Amino acid sequence: MIRTTNLITAGTMAAFGLTAWSGVVASDSHTIKFGNVISAGDTQNQGYELFAEQVAERTDGRITVEVYPDSQLGGEREMVEATQFGDIEMTAPSVGVLANFDKSLEVFDFPFIFEDADTAHEVLDSELGDEMLAGLADSGLVALGWGENGFRNLAMTDGTVRVPEDMEGVKLRTMQVPMHIAYWESIGAAPTPLSFPEVFTSLQQGVVDGVENPYELLYSARLTEPANYLTETRHIYDPEVLLINKDFYESLSDEDQEIIQSAADAAIDEIRSLKENVSDEIRAEIEAAGGTVTDLTEEERQAWIDSAVPFYAENASEVDTDKLKAILEAAGNTTFLEAIR
Ligand code: EAX
């Protein structure tokens, strides 16, 4: 437990005329430990540092946010659990990991839902998006909003992937996300779920043949060193969720809650605007470092979308189908709406 709780000693209590039954008086100073797996300096962590600055400034230093990037406090699932149990106060995992905590969030783990980030933001920031986050309260977590990892692309150690058939038998590291695993299996790949801190070594040692993540994280986590054949599949738009321990959050005054919420909103705006061009910039850096980045032709891209049609048909009933339909509708995605009708 990291929270700063100043105990008032019996002596002090006596001096102030307090009686023993008034018990422990918590001060309003707190330290928030905020862990994440993203590399220090990446756009997410620039946003989280802004969050820390704003909270410190607006509380005159009463609330300190310590950001721990680079998996220093563990993998994503581990950190969600640590946040749940109050060992740390905040984390911001990929939404996929949260399916293990609130099954209704699985609808975001279906591939090719969103065509672009603007559409994703619009849907996530709507009432429907808020509704989707509310269920996390049952797991002891308050969601402060939808952050962003970005569109996930493939990075392979050996050979370029262009079409789904190229994934036949390929050992692909995925997150520990049931629907991701099911999709890659459905196209014949051999998905291998690993937590993020294990990925670099697994690629180096050939435990897996590839990985998928947005360019920025692939590059900053140096995964593009072993896996330098990249393909711009944009197969999933990956939002991250800013989470805070519910008991901790609710122990704060209304004013402090408002400061935390508005600093989180500012961080999310900052992250999204920094992300706008970062993918192209990093892609150029990956190429300059000797990586190969492949764009799909329209037919190839279509082949990927087609590959997901049977997956939708088969798996829509495994999740909250009405929510899945609502998301697809809001995203203007008629292909998969038809597939699950
Ligand atoms: O949320 O595990 C992953 O690949 C995630 O994309 C990453 O941890 C950021």
Side-chain angles (χ1 to χ4, degrees):
M1 178 66 64
I2 289 112
R3 200 169 314 154
T4 319
T5 306
N6 293 337
L7 302 182
I8 295 186
T9 62
T12 323
M13 284 169 69
F16 284 92
L18 299 171
T19 50
W21 55 260
S22 65
V24 172
V25 179
S27 88
D28 58 358
S29 296
H30 306 277
T31 301
I32 292 176
K33 289 213 175 200
F34 183 169
N36 68 77
V37 302
I38 306 295
S39 311
D42 268 13
T43 44
Q44 284 102 308
N45 277 309
Q46 292 177 47
Y48 304 150
E49 289 300 341
L50 176 74
F51 171 78
E53 271 165 39
Q54 290 203 352
V55 170
E57 209 173 281
R58 290 191 55 199
T59 61
D60 295 322
R62 264 188 311 106
I63 303 184
T64 309
V65 180
E66 294 172 354
V67 181
Y68 295 87
D70 281 306
S71 310
Q72 285 175 53
L73 305 184
E76 291 201 310
R77 187 168 174 168
E78 235 175 310
M79 283 191 286
V80 177
E81 283 164 2
T83 306
Q84 208 176 12
F85 299 121
D87 297 333
I88 63 175
E89 283 71 25
M90 286 185 69
T91 191
S94 165
V95 70
V97 175
L98 293 173
N100 300 300
F101 298 84
D102 178 358
K103 195 164 155 49
S104 73
L105 287 168
E106 276 197 312
V107 295
F108 292 109
D109 302 335
F110 281 62
F112 305 104
I113 296 178
F114 298 111
E115 195 49 43
D116 52 53
D118 285 345
T119 311
H121 298 161
E122 213 173 284
V123 175
L124 296 172
D125 297 342
S126 71
E127 233 169 81
L128 177 60
D130 288 349
E131 230 176 82
M132 300 295 305
L133 291 179
L136 287 164
D138 295 339
S139 297
L141 300 163
V142 170
L144 297 170
W146 295 100
E148 181 163 58
N149 192 19
F151 277 97
R152 299 177 79 94
N153 294 314
L154 283 172
M156 314 306 293
T157 52
D158 191 17
T160 295
V161 169
R162 301 204 73 111
V163 288
E165 290 73 41
D166 294 338
M167 292 303 290
E168 186 69 43
V170 167
K171 286 178 281 169
L172 180 72
R173 178 272 170 171
T174 66
M175 289 191 277
Q176 295 148 307
V177 176
M179 283 298 151
H180 289 192
I181 296 166
Y183 167 67
W184 293 107
E185 263 171 4
S186 80
I187 63 164
T192 308
L194 294 171
S195 90
F196 193 71
E198 298 173 284
V199 180
F200 184 79
T201 318
S202 304
L203 284 165
Q204 261 189 335
Q205 295 178 344
V207 175
V208 289
D209 309 312
V211 57
E212 44 83 56
N213 244 305
Y215 290 145
E216 186 185 18
L217 186 56
L218 287 170
Y219 187 60
S220 65
R222 298 178 39 224
L223 304 179
T224 48
E225 290 173 20
N228 62 354
Y229 293 91
L230 290 89
T231 306
E232 188 144 337
T233 45
R234 295 167 64 84
H235 52 269
I236 204 156
Y237 170 82
D238 182 15
E240 285 171 334
V241 182
L242 274 73
L243 293 174
I244 188 162
N245 172 280
K246 184 165 179 275
D247 290 343
F248 170 71
Y249 188 68
E250 289 178 350
S251 77
L252 300 174
S253 65
D254 288 352
E255 195 195 352
D256 284 350
Q257 287 185 8
E258 191 281 318
I259 290 172
I260 298 241
Q261 181 61 67
S262 70
D265 293 343
I268 289 169
D269 285 348
E270 175 78 357
I271 292 165
R272 288 179 179 177
S273 84
L274 289 169
K275 290 268 184 203
E276 259 169 45
N277 301 314
V278 81
S279 193
D280 291 342
E281 288 162 15
I282 302 277
R283 176 186 162 137
E285 286 185 45
I286 293 170
E287 287 179 312
T292 308
V293 185
T294 303
D295 284 312
L296 300 176
T297 64
E298 229 170 89
E299 291 77 37
E300 286 165 345
R301 167 92 186 159
Q302 192 56 47
W304 282 95
I305 293 171
D306 293 346
S307 81
V309 168
F311 172 78
Y312 270 83
E314 196 168 317
N315 289 283
S317 61
E318 300 291 316
V319 300
D320 185 335
T321 317
D322 289 339
K323 286 268 161 48
L324 180 60
K325 281 185 185 161
I327 302 276
L328 289 169
E329 216 156 279
N333 190 324
T334 48
T335 308
F336 298 131
L337 266 176
E338 274 160 29
I340 64 175
R341 199 148 270 155

